[in-house]
Amino acid sequence: QAKKAVAVALRNRWRRQQLPEDMREEISPKNILMVGPTGVGKTEVARRLAKLCEAPFIKVEATKFTEVGFHGRDVDQIIKDLVAVGISDTKRKMKEEESAEKMHFIEGRILDALIGKVSDICREHFAELLALGALDNATIRIEVKPLPPKQPKHNIGAFIIQSTKPRTPRFKYMTVKEAIEYMKNEDSEHISSEDIAVQAVKSVEQNGIVFIDEIDKVCSTKERKTFEGASEGVQRDLLPLIEGTVINTKHGDVDTSKILFIASGAFYATKPNDLLPELQGRLPVRVTLEGLCEKEMHQILTEPECNLLLQQKELLKCDGINLTFDTDAVTEIAKLAVDLNRTVENIGARRLHTIIEKITEKTSYECEPGDVRITKEDVTKSVA
């Protein structure tokens, strides 16, 4: 249900961009409130989908902010941090685009430094090897930027004269792989920081996603009102931010009206209805996530591309340990995770980390190369 809500919100964002401009400005995103216990994947759902659509994404905790006038961080800092993420993402994308366009030129410089002037057939052969990465460790000598002249402490005139003199070329030895990265960075330095900022602000305004966690920690029940700086005052400060306002940052003004806000909380001691009515109205889509069952725990262990079991296997493989899990052992891990969450404390999928570390603790410590097989009995014995 949570995946559907976030997926629909992102799809509606794409649909809005296909509309005429006058209609587009009237449509705002439907912000989401996720309610569910810890460890069920509230943050992960938003983060994964934001990564898929390459949108600027930031996760913040509501408890880290205080009401305006109290000592602490104001909620405006959320947008400033999101813009910083947008700047980083935009710069990376522009560098990748520039690198893709100039890769042919970079390969030519690498081949010139590697083999010099040779026949076309030989050059094509080395170009194929370069594309395959077979020459990454080869050492070449390339021309790098000359060092800037040192400024004298007292004689400014001498420094000006020295600056106007032509600088002698400077060469450096490095591997082919390092040279390619150096040339990519060298070519991207001419990108204007102002252009990056303009594109980043536009990306944040149209595609930004803010995930506000622990929203339940800044609300109180009707019977027990609090007057702390990190309580209902934070909710009041969040109202204009979520509704849509203009935040001034060092990279320019940012309009928050089209940014998608996703709030989440466990709501153990409180209920969603204890939030300010105005804030509830600004989070119209409410999604409830239930605790994880044994089947879902098993899916988390086995279905993701880089699942927890595969991560553990690859870590131990660095020490020459070939780790394997029996099918019934994996089932037992999922069953124990659910049982412990029910009887001790419900920490959701994070319980799997605890169990797997407990099972592989001895193997990880002794680091004896060889085959290690984890059976159902080993799981039961380790967690008993």
Side-chain angles (χ1 to χ4, degrees), residues 275-314:
L275 291 169
L276 292 179
E278 298 89 344
L279 187 59
Q280 293 182 48
R282 287 163 174 81
L283 300 167
V285 180
R286 186 177 298 185
V287 180
T288 302
L289 292 86
E290 303 296 336
L292 300 174
C293 64
E294 184 177 334
K295 179 183 176 182
E296 291 163 338
M297 289 287 192
H298 190 276
Q299 289 175 330
I300 293 171
L301 284 172
T302 57
E303 292 187 5
E305 186 176 345
C306 297
N307 57 66
L308 297 179
L309 298 181
L310 181 60
Q311 292 175 26
Q312 198 68 30
K313 291 176 185 177
E314 294 299 320

Side-chain angles (χ1 to χ4, degrees), residues 40-57:
V40 297
K42 299 187 293 293
T43 308
E44 197 64 19
V45 168
R47 181 184 286 118
R48 295 274 177 157
L49 288 174
K51 186 177 180 181
L52 284 174
C53 63
E54 297 183 342
F57 174 84

Side-chain angles (χ1 to χ4, degrees), residues 160-202:
I160 295 173
I161 295 173
Q162 189 178 0
S163 300
T164 57
K165 290 181 179 180
R167 300 178 190 176
T168 56
R170 191 166 69 98
F171 295 90
K172 187 176 181 181
Y173 287 93
M174 60 182 70
T175 64
V176 169
K177 189 173 183 180
E178 292 171 344
I180 292 174
E181 288 301 318
Y182 173 81
M183 292 178 187
K184 285 181 179 179
N185 293 330
E186 186 182 44
D187 287 338
S188 63
E189 286 180 0
H190 71 277
I191 300 175
S192 169
S193 58
E194 185 177 345
D195 293 341
I196 294 174
V198 170
Q199 290 197 30
V201 168
K202 183 178 179 181

Side-chain angles (χ1 to χ4, degrees), residues 195-312:
D195 293 341
I196 294 174
V198 170
Q199 290 197 30
V201 168
K202 183 178 179 181
S203 176
V204 166
E205 289 180 337
Q206 300 299 323
N207 303 314
I209 300 175
V210 175
F211 188 91
I212 306 174
D213 202 6
E214 309 290 354
I215 193 71
D216 57 314
K217 304 300 187 297
V218 294
C219 70
S220 53
T221 60
K222 301 293 188 294
E223 295 79 14
R224 185 177 58 85
K225 290 287 183 182
T226 61
F227 298 94
E228 299 176 359
S231 186
E232 287 191 2
V234 177
Q235 295 186 56
R236 288 192 291 269
D237 291 343
L238 283 172
L239 291 177
L241 199 69
I242 298 177
E243 178 71 17
T245 187
V246 176
I247 303 297
N248 180 262
T249 71
K250 63 180 181 180
H251 300 290
D253 293 340
V254 180
D255 182 6
T256 68
S257 60
K258 301 299 183 291
I259 295 176
L260 176 64
F261 288 87
I262 304 174
S264 79
F267 290 96
Y268 289 128
T270 57
K271 298 179 294 183
N273 291 339
D274 292 326
L275 291 169
L276 292 179
E278 298 89 344
L279 187 59
Q280 293 182 48
R282 287 163 174 81
L283 300 167
V285 180
R286 186 177 298 185
V287 180
T288 302
L289 292 86
E290 303 296 336
L292 300 174
C293 64
E294 184 177 334
K295 179 183 176 182
E296 291 163 338
M297 289 287 192
H298 190 276
Q299 289 175 330
I300 293 171
L301 284 172
T302 57
E303 292 187 5
E305 186 176 345
C306 297
N307 57 66
L308 297 179
L309 298 181
L310 181 60
Q311 292 175 26
Q312 198 68 30

Side-chain angles (χ1 to χ4, degrees), residues 101-148:
E101 293 175 359
K102 297 190 176 181
M103 195 60 195
H104 181 72
F105 172 72
I106 292 174
E107 288 177 356
R109 285 184 62 185
I110 296 292
L111 291 174
D112 289 341
L114 189 65
I115 58 177
K117 293 182 179 180
V118 295
S119 64
D120 292 342
I121 297 176
C122 182
R123 193 176 181 88
E124 289 176 5
H125 174 69
F126 274 90
E128 291 176 1
L129 293 176
L130 181 63
L132 294 172
L135 304 176
D136 283 353
N137 296 324
T139 303
I140 58 174
R141 178 174 176 262
I142 65 168
E143 183 178 349
V144 297
K145 283 187 173 182
L147 295 172

